[in-house]
Amino acid sequence: ACITDGKGSYTNFPCQYNETTCAFQPRVHIRDNWGWCTGSCGDEGQDGCFDGDGSLSSGDWTDHCDYTNLSYDPWVSYDGIIYVEE
């Protein structure tokens, strides 16, 4: 089921909107060959994420591009929601 944050925004995707409709919000993760990636990972949500060790999922705290680390947000999300009906 879709969960909202109290302000009307969904916090989980994909999710089941109703009995016949699913909702999802596409997002993109891009990393260049210098170790910079998309998202807001710096102090106080500053733009720019940096991969300190060259791995996308190292678990190292310096790896802002680790998309499995919930402390950072190395994604750019689509500014809308896509609903798919049966």
Side-chain angles (χ1 to χ4, degrees):
C2 294
I3 300 170
T4 61
D5 64 1
K7 299 176 186 174
S9 297
Y10 296 121
T11 59
N12 62 319
F13 289 104
C15 61
Q16 185 174 347
Y17 180 71
N18 60 32
E19 289 185 20
T20 61
T21 306
C22 292
F24 69 99
Q25 184 179 40
R27 57 188 184 169
V28 176
H29 177 87
I30 299 172
R31 189 182 118 214
D32 67 17
N33 57 331
W34 293 284
W36 289 97
C37 66
T38 56
S40 298
C41 299
D43 294 333
E44 300 177 12
Q46 295 173 352
D47 287 342
C49 302
F50 185 70
D51 177 5
D53 70 354
S55 172
L56 284 178
S57 58
S58 68
D60 184 353
W61 67 272
T62 63
D63 186 359
H64 295 171
C65 297
D66 180 355
Y67 47 81
T68 63
N69 185 344
L70 300 179
S71 299
Y72 300 112
D73 184 22
W75 301 96
V76 174
S77 296
Y78 170 65
D79 193 25
I81 298 171
I82 297 174
Y83 296 94
V84 180
E85 294 187 29
E86 257 184 9

